[in-house]
């Protein structure tokens, strides 16, 4: 529910400032137009939908010019390029006031304000415009901001985009007509200060994606208009007739076709439901043998909404898709994995043999629904161990496979302490801290440890529906991260998992490919290669990392994407790093796998070693090219 803290009366009087000419205000608007539109977009109510918010933000900003010379509020812009610009201060107050008015509910006995009505201009026929999607952090912040009132969203935006102090924020809100500016600032304090994310494309209504509106519906409407008013009334009456199988569909867009195949795919009665225990005797152990679980598996209205939104997500639905995953509707009736209440949401999880689709809506309404897709073709017992049910308050809940007998929480950066047991209720875990929702420095990395009989596996949340499986060992024969040695291997490199969030990662393997004595006799450094494989096959990300004794974190020596190094097809790697000894001397250290016969450095640093390790004195900032030779005579290039 949107806040009504925006006063329905003129703004309170403010100290008289400089008089701003229309030309001066126009110059400020043109110069800072992208920032003003972004402020309006953030302050507008999320219930409008992303496409309408974009057009409304542009309309309100373009209508912010005063008609005559106008006194500006004495509020400094407090940002480089805008300090002391009364034109910018005046336009900013106008934009915020109208954006907040747009969130005030309409009243029966009062004329609506212009800002409360859909904008006439700008308008785009035949296209839906919306900002580019960001990552998991941006999506989480957008969901948190949607829970705030309009003045609180404006306060958060003024802090993040304008870098105003709390007093400055209160002054701007008061000038914009907010009745309780201090209360809005206090409400905004409930959201973590992730102000850097506000500069991302997720919140930029000037950098847009375009998609067509429903082409079939447009064609039908055109034909109906040509047929005349009478035919239009008949079609409207037919579309409004009740019928079996088509009930209220929540946040779904209107249907574009009425054919038997489409109706069968969206009929809750035709959902595939696997009985409990089938997995025990099945030749397959993947998502296809998961039983339907949850306290709402019999809620036909909820299931109908989930299926309809999957087929036709409306403009207000937040849709996220992992890379390489199709987002179209199901080809036939999918399999129901879960339908139930999770924290403050109703959640439905469906499986069509290739994808997992997760539908979530608030418990009190269908507004603010979300639809997430993940590709899972080729998943086996190891990859089908758990799914993300929901994330809230920095925590994540999982739905585990029916063969999982125990679930625990483990911090990868603390391999010594044991795992903390998690309560399992019909396969649903108790909440545990999610590294995908973390803001600030990386001091821990919590993972889900699942036990399946005598085997223990480690999974981690990377901001997607399917957690990534963690393994350790030589490519082609990796093992589970369960023993003390395997856990110690991952300890310094856990935080590097943050570089592959929201990338469609299936598994991440850590391979300690060599160990190198340091030239100052301070011990030996470990060389580890981490390779993240994706569900789509291509796009694997490889990091060669270097860890010295006593260091808390590994240093990335080289990285590459979509290369075979450190993988099954090419289980070899060569990488180097400039290292400074305690005495202040610099060295080029390089290492390959144990099948590397020689390494040669050329360029600013020259040297050669007839082994898999190379140590050469160097200068700070020197750059060199590495070439290696394998024991079978093949050449090996350094990872860049």
């Amino acid at each position: 529910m949107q806040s009504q803290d925006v006063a329905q009366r003129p703004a309170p009087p403010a100290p008289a400032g400089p008089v701003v000419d229309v030309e001066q205000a126009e110059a400020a608007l043109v110069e800072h137009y992208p920032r003003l539109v972004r402020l309006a977009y953030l302050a507008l109510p999320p219930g409008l939908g992303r496409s309408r918010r974009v057009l409304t933000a542009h309309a309100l900003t373009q209508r912010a010019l005063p008609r005559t010379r106008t006194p500006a509020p004495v509020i400094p812009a407090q940002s480089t390029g805008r300090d002391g610009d009364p034109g910018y201060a005046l336009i900013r107050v106008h934009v915020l006031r109208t954006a907040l008015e747009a969130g005030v509910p309409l009243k029966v006995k009062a004329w609506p304000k212009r800002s409360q009505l859909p904008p006439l201009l700008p308008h785009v026929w035949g296209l839906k415009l919306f900002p580019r999607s960001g990552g998991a952090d941006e999506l989480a912040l957008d969901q948190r901001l949607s829970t705030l009132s309009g003045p609180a969203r404006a306060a958060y935006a003024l802090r993040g985009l304008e870098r105003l102090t709390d007093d400055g924020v209160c002054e701007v809100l008061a000038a914009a007509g907010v009745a309780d500016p201090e209360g809005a600032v206090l409400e905004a304090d409930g959201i973590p200060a992730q102000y850097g994310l506000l500069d991302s494309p997720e919140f930029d209504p000037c950098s847009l994606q375009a998609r067509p509106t429903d082409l079939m519906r447009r064609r039908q409407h055109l034909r109906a208009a040509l047929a005349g008013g009478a035919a239009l009334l008949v079609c409207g009456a037919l579309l409004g007739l009740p019928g079996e199988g088509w009930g209220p569909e929540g946040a779904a867009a209107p249907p574009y076709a009425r054919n038997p195949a489409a109706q069968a795919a969206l009929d809750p009665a035709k959902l595939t439901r696997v009985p409990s225990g089938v997995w025990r005797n099945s030749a397959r152990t993947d998502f296809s043998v998961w039983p339907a679980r949850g306290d709402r598996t019999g809620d036909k209205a909820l299931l109908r909404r989930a299926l309809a939104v999957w087929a036709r997500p409306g403009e207000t639905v937040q849709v996220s898709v992992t890379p390489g995953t199709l987002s179209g509707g199901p080809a036939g009736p999918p399999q129901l994995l879960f339908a139930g209440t999770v924290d403050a949401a109703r959640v439905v999880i469906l499986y069509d043999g290739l994808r997992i689709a997760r539908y979530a809506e608030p418990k009190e309404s269908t507004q603010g629904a979300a639809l997430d897709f993940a590709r899972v073709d080729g998943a086996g017992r190891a990859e089908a161990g758990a799914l993300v049910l929901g994330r809230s308050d920095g925590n994540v809940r999982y739905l585990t496979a029916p063969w999982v007998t125990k679930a625990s929480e483990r911090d990868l950066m603390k391999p010594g302490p044991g795992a903390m047991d998690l309560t399992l209720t019909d396969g649903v875990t108790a909440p545990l801290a999610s590294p995908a929702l973390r803001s600030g420095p990386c001091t821990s990395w919590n993972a889900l440890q699942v036990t399946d009989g005598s085997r223990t596996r480690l999974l981690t949340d990377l901001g997607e529906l399917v957690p990534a499986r963690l393994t350790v060992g030589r490519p082609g024969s990796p093992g589970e991260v369960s023993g003390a040695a395997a856990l110690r291997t991952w300890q310094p490199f856990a935080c590097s998992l943050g570089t592959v969030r929201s990338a469609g990662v299936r598994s991440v393997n850590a391979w300690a490919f060599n160990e190198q004595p340091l030239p100052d006799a301070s011990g030996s450094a470990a060389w580890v290669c981490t390779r993240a494989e994706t569900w789509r096959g291509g796009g694997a990300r490889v990091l060669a990392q270097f860890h010295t004794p006593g260091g808390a974190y590994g240093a990335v020596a080289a990285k590459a994407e979509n290369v075979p190094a450190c993988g099954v097809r090419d289980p070899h790697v060569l990488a180097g790093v400039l290292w400074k000894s305690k005495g202040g001397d610099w060295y080029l250290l390089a290492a390959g796998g144990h099948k590397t016969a020689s390494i040669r450095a050329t360029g600013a640093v020259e040297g050669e070693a007839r082994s898999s390790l190379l140590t050469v004195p160097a200068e700070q900032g020197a750059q060199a090219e590495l070439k290696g030779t394998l024991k079978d005579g093949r050449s090996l290039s350094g990872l860049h």
Side-chain angles (χ1 to χ4, degrees):
M1 182 173 65
Q2 300 301 323
S3 169
Q4 301 185 32
D5 288 341
V6 181
Q8 300 296 318
R9 48 175 164 58
V19 176
V20 177
D21 291 324
V22 177
E23 292 79 6
Q24 184 180 359
E26 181 182 17
L29 189 150
V30 172
E31 181 180 0
H32 305 296
Y33 183 82
R35 178 173 294 273
L36 291 165
V37 176
R38 193 184 294 249
L39 270 174
Y41 180 82
L42 288 166
L44 284 168
L48 293 178
R50 301 177 75 196
S51 182
R52 183 175 166 186
R53 281 172 70 193
V54 165
L55 296 179
T56 303
H58 283 276
L60 297 181
T61 304
Q62 293 171 15
R63 296 203 302 257
L65 281 177
R67 298 181 182 276
T68 59
R69 289 164 55 88
T70 306
V74 186
I75 302 174
Q78 294 186 350
S79 291
T80 302
R82 302 185 300 277
D83 280 337
D85 184 351
Y88 178 78
L90 175 65
I91 295 295
R92 181 176 61 190
V93 167
H94 276 288
V95 167
L96 285 177
R97 179 184 296 124
T98 54
L100 294 174
E101 287 174 349
V104 177
L106 294 173
K107 295 184 177 180
V108 177
K109 297 182 179 180
W111 287 100
K113 293 181 178 293
R114 187 180 181 186
S115 56
Q116 294 175 280
L117 300 175
L120 296 177
L121 293 174
H123 195 86
V124 180
W125 289 97
L127 289 177
K128 294 188 297 183
L129 303 177
F130 47 89
R132 297 181 180 275
S133 297
D137 291 340
E138 288 83 353
L139 178 59
L141 177 59
D142 189 42
Q143 291 174 342
R144 292 190 178 109
L145 289 176
S146 67
T147 64
L148 298 180
S149 64
R153 288 194 304 274
Y156 192 91
L158 288 170
R159 280 174 170 173
L161 295 177
E162 301 294 281
R163 301 296 190 266
L164 295 180
T165 64
D166 287 354
D167 290 340
V169 171
C170 289
E171 291 179 11
V172 174
L173 293 179
V178 175
D180 184 13
E182 292 81 5
V185 171
L186 289 176
E187 185 181 352
D189 287 335
I191 302 296
Q194 298 175 295
Y195 299 134
L197 298 180
L198 296 182
D199 293 322
S200 72
E202 175 83 22
F203 306 106
D204 185 4
C206 291
S207 177
L208 302 172
Q209 297 183 93
R211 293 291 185 274
T213 54
D214 195 316
L215 301 178
M216 293 295 295
R217 290 180 62 213
R218 283 163 46 186
R219 183 179 297 177
Q220 291 169 357
H221 289 174
L222 178 60
R223 290 173 178 173
L226 294 175
L232 182 62
L233 291 175
V234 172
C235 291
L238 291 175
L239 289 174
L241 287 176
E244 294 183 2
W246 293 90
E249 295 172 347
Y256 56 83
R258 294 298 179 90
N259 59 70
Q263 284 187 307
L266 304 181
D267 187 352
K270 290 183 169 60
L271 283 172
T272 301
R273 298 170 185 256
V274 176
S276 300
V278 167
W279 63 273
R280 299 181 187 277
N281 301 314
S282 173
R284 298 175 58 178
T285 47
D286 55 17
F287 294 111
S288 66
V289 294
W290 277 34
R293 288 171 287 181
D295 59 355
R296 289 184 174 270
T297 55
D299 189 339
K300 292 185 178 180
L302 172 63
L303 297 177
R304 186 184 305 281
R305 290 195 297 273
L307 290 167
V309 170
W310 183 354
R312 308 181 310 277
E315 293 185 359
T316 62
V317 178
Q318 292 280 348
V319 180
S320 69
V321 183
T322 58
T325 306
L326 298 177
S327 59
Q335 177 183 342
L336 177 62
L337 303 185
F338 180 88
T341 304
V342 181
D343 297 325
R346 293 186 291 255
V347 176
V348 178
I349 296 183
L350 302 163
Y351 171 63
D352 69 351
L354 299 175
R355 301 167 296 170
I356 296 291
R358 175 186 177 272
Y359 170 81
E361 65 182 24
K363 284 196 296 187
E364 305 303 328
S365 72
T366 61
Q367 296 299 316
L371 183 65
D372 306 309
F373 292 98
R375 182 174 175 175
V376 292
D377 50 316
R381 190 183 186 103
E383 293 85 3
L387 290 173
V388 170
L389 269 184
R391 300 182 183 90
S392 62
D393 299 326
N395 296 321
V396 59
R397 284 186 189 269
Y398 293 95
L399 177 66
T400 60
W403 50 83
V404 170
T405 57
K406 181 181 178 181
S408 308
E409 179 180 4
R410 178 179 287 281
D411 187 351
L412 282 179
M413 298 187 68
K414 297 180 178 64
M420 182 177 67
D421 291 345
L422 295 171
T423 302
L424 272 180
T425 306
D426 196 20
V428 179
T429 70
L432 64 152
S434 170
L437 300 179
R438 175 193 296 113
S439 61
C442 178
T443 57
S444 64
W445 193 280
N446 294 316
L448 174 69
Q449 181 174 288
V450 294
T451 301
D452 166 16
S454 60
R455 185 181 290 268
T456 298
R457 295 187 174 93
L458 212 58
L459 309 172
T460 186
D461 181 16
L462 293 181
E464 298 172 337
L465 276 179
V466 184
R469 178 191 176 198
L470 301 181
T471 58
V472 63
R474 184 173 179 80
S477 57
E480 305 296 344
V481 185
S482 56
L487 291 168
R488 285 195 299 270
T489 298
W490 262 110
Q491 178 185 5
F493 310 107
C495 290
S496 67
L497 290 167
T499 63
V500 293
R501 283 188 293 190
S502 303
V505 173
R506 177 174 185 157
S507 63
V508 188
N509 182 58
W511 173 38
F513 64 88
N514 217 327
E515 191 172 299
Q516 185 167 21
L518 297 174
D520 64 350
S522 60
S524 296
W527 285 95
V528 172
C529 184
T530 56
R531 180 180 175 90
E533 299 286 0
T534 67
W535 286 98
R536 62 190 182 277
R541 299 186 183 184
V542 180
L543 298 179
Q545 303 192 61
F546 179 77
H547 180 236
T548 55
Y553 306 96
V556 176
K559 57 183 176 181
E561 186 170 345
N562 208 20
V563 297
C566 293
V568 177
R569 291 174 51 197
D570 184 15
H572 304 289
V573 64
L574 173 62
V577 66
L578 283 176
W579 176 78
K580 183 180 180 182
S581 70
K582 294 181 180 179
D585 299 320
W586 287 88
Y587 295 88
L588 170 65
L589 305 180
H594 291 296
K595 291 188 177 181
T596 303
S598 65
I599 302 175
R600 183 180 181 184
T602 57
V605 182
E606 295 191 356
E608 185 174 3
R610 296 291 180 180
S611 69
S612 60
L613 299 172
L614 173 68
T615 302
V616 184
E619 298 293 333
Q620 180 179 3
Q623 295 185 358
E625 183 177 356
L626 296 175
K627 293 289 185 180
T629 304
L630 299 174
K631 291 181 179 179
D632 61 6
R634 289 181 296 162
S635 61
L636 182 66
S637 298
L639 194 68
H640 298 288

